[in-house]
């Protein structure tokens, strides 16, 4: 079994860092403790297998926001066989209360900063939306222009179609007259031929007598 004592500096108090260390140690099966120091740093004592402790040191360096680790000073320490679990060594009650409120305040301020970022981003989207609205208005005006052109085209097409229908009616009437004339003349011609043939027959009969 190996043990180490680490001094962690950075934004590690009043941000929930000790709780993060406790959860990580319990997950890895590390025994020891974590406590706040007067200078704003955090002391971590840990003991366990070499591989597990190396992984635990890397975990100490990467806490979730709003905590931020600037340095981790690790030095070997004598194991404490009586330590079977990992615990948080509490500070005096007043400091613990300040720790709790400070952690909430830090988280709130981080969320507030994110909210400001989202608000600025929303403003950007709003400006972009206004730009799209302007483009939409341009497209709407262009669409209205197309609608006007289409209506004019439809009107001209309708007029042309009516003109064609009138012309077609006139042509149809003229063709009807021509056909009727041809039929009538054909009938008259046939009657004249028949009459001529009859006269010829009568003439031949008289000659033959």
């Amino acid at each position: 079994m190996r043990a180490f004592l680490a001094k962690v500096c950075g934004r590690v108090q009043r941000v929930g860092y000790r709780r993060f260390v406790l959860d990580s140690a319990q997950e890895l099966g590390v025994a020891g403790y974590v406590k706040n120091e007067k200078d704003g740093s955090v002391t971590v004592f840990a003991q366990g297998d070499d591989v597990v402790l190396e992984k635990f040191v890397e975990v100490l360096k990467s806490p979730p926001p709003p905590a931020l680790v600037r340095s981790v000073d690790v030095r070997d320490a004598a194991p404490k066989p009586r330590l079977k679990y990992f615990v948080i060594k509490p500070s005096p009650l007043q400091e613990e209360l300040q720790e709790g409120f400070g952690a909430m305040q830090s988280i709130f301020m981080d969320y507030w900063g994110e909210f400001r970022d989202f608000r600025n981003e929303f403003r950007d989207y709003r400006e972009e939306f206004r730009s799209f609205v302007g483009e939409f208005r341009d497209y709407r005006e262009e669409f209205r222009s197309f609608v006007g052109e289409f209506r004019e085209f439809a009107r001209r097409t309708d007029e042309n179609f009516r003109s064609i229908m009138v012309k077609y009616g006139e042509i149809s009437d003229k063709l009807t007259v021509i056909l009727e004339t041809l039929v009538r003349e054909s009938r008259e011609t046939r009657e004249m031929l028949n009459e001529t043939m009859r006269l010829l027959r009568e003439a031949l009969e008289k000659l033959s007598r």
Side-chain angles (χ1 to χ4, degrees):
M1 179 183 291
R2 175 181 159 233
F4 70 75
L5 193 66
K7 181 176 182 178
V8 184
C9 297
R11 188 184 181 189
V12 289
Q13 290 193 18
R14 301 179 183 178
V15 289
Y17 182 74
R18 290 183 305 169
R19 184 70 196 185
F20 162 72
V21 174
L22 172 65
D23 292 341
S24 301
Q26 291 177 342
E27 183 178 350
L28 293 172
V30 174
Y33 61 83
V34 58
K35 67 174 183 175
N36 286 339
E37 300 294 347
K38 296 291 186 181
D39 61 357
S41 65
V42 168
T43 296
V44 179
F45 175 82
Q47 60 186 24
D49 296 336
D50 287 344
V51 176
V52 174
L53 290 182
E54 289 178 5
K55 185 180 296 186
F56 186 52
V57 170
E58 294 304 315
V59 170
L60 295 178
K61 298 176 182 178
S62 305
L68 177 65
V69 173
R70 295 194 186 91
S71 65
V72 179
D73 182 18
V74 180
R75 50 192 174 89
D76 290 333
K80 299 180 180 181
R82 292 184 179 181
L83 285 178
K84 302 297 182 183
Y85 307 102
F86 199 94
V87 297
I88 295 175
K89 281 193 173 182
S91 301
L93 179 59
Q94 182 180 0
E95 293 182 11
E96 287 297 324
L97 290 174
Q98 291 177 350
E99 174 84 10
F101 286 122
M104 288 189 292
Q105 183 182 12
S106 296
I107 294 172
F108 175 79
M109 293 306 295
D110 284 345
Y111 282 135
W112 177 250
E114 290 182 12
F115 174 75
R116 286 179 175 175
D117 293 338
F118 285 131
R119 187 172 59 181
N120 292 331
E121 187 174 354
F122 174 75
R123 287 174 179 170
D124 294 337
Y125 283 129
R126 188 170 59 181
E127 292 299 324
E128 187 174 355
F129 176 74
R130 287 176 178 171
S131 176
F132 283 134
V133 168
E135 292 181 11
F136 176 75
R137 286 174 179 169
D138 294 338
Y139 285 129
R140 188 171 59 181
E141 293 299 324
E142 187 174 354
F143 177 74
R144 286 176 178 172
S145 175
F146 284 136
V147 169
E149 292 180 10
F150 178 77
R151 286 176 178 170
E152 179 63 21
F153 172 77
R155 186 187 62 78
R156 291 198 306 268
T157 302
D158 186 60
E159 290 178 354
N160 291 334
F161 183 76
R162 288 178 181 176
S163 177
I164 290 172
M165 290 300 295
V166 170
K167 294 293 183 183
Y168 173 79
E170 293 175 357
I171 293 171
S172 178
D173 293 340
K174 290 180 179 179
L175 285 174
T176 301
V177 172
I178 291 171
L179 287 173
E180 289 176 350
T181 301
L182 287 174
V183 169
R184 186 174 59 254
E185 290 180 353
S186 177
R187 187 182 304 115
E188 293 175 354
T189 301
R190 203 163 45 245
E191 290 175 353
M192 290 177 63
L193 285 173
N194 289 335
E195 181 66 18
T196 303
M197 291 300 294
R198 186 181 65 78
L199 294 172
L200 283 173
R201 279 195 303 272
E202 290 178 356
L204 288 172
E205 288 177 356
K206 289 178 179 182
L207 290 174
S208 61
R209 291 178 186 171

